[in-house]
């Protein structure tokens, strides 16, 4: 089965999205920082130009926080390989493009 996603995101924004809307709920405990605040205290600031990715990943690859941001500049297919994204790594997908996983034999767990 082919799976894909697109858009601009980072691990911190995924955490923030997972928290859902706070509308109509009591405010969080003043002593507990919001998830994005916790991530900014843990993850280092981006310092380099980042790495551009496009085409096909057919061998296992790890996207590190130190090399962030990882920018997907056109369609990216991960086929027969594992793409590991480290905690604190920032991934940006240019508008209109996706990262697709699979595309091989649907019965093959590596596909």
């Amino acid at each position: 089965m082919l799976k894909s996603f697109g858009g601009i995101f980072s691990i911190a924004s995924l955490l923030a999205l997972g928290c859902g809307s706070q509308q109509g709920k009591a405010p969080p405990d003043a002593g507990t920082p919001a998830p994005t605040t916790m991530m900014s205290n843990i993850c280092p600031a981006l310092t380099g130009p980042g790495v551009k990715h496009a085409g096909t990943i057919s061998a296992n690859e790890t996207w590190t926080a130190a090399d962030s941001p990882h920018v997907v500049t056109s369609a990216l297919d991960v086929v027969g390989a594992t793409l590991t994204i480290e905690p604190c790594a920032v991934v940006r997908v240019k508008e209109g493009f996706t990262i697709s996983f699979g595309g091989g034999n649907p019965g093959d767990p590596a596909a």
Side-chain angles (χ1 to χ4, degrees):
M1 175 162 38
L2 187 64
K3 301 175 191 116
S4 67
F5 64 92
I8 297 175
F9 70 94
S10 69
I11 301 301
S13 63
L14 288 175
L15 274 174
L17 289 173
C19 293
S21 172
Q22 295 297 318
Q23 187 175 15
K25 296 181 182 178
D29 180 352
T32 304
T36 53
T37 303
M38 288 188 293
M39 290 304 293
S40 64
N41 291 337
I42 296 170
C43 298
L46 300 178
T47 58
V51 179
K52 293 181 180 178
H53 302 278
T56 301
I57 295 176
S58 56
N60 293 347
E61 194 169 303
T62 299
W63 292 0
T64 65
D67 290 333
S68 289
H70 296 271
V71 182
V72 177
T73 58
S74 68
L76 180 69
D77 298 313
V78 181
V79 180
T82 299
L83 172 59
T84 302
I85 302 173
E86 283 187 347
C88 295
V90 175
V91 176
R92 296 182 178 144
V93 179
K94 294 283 186 175
E95 186 173 345
F97 297 108
T98 61
I99 301 175
S100 298
F101 298 87
N105 178 354
D108 181 0

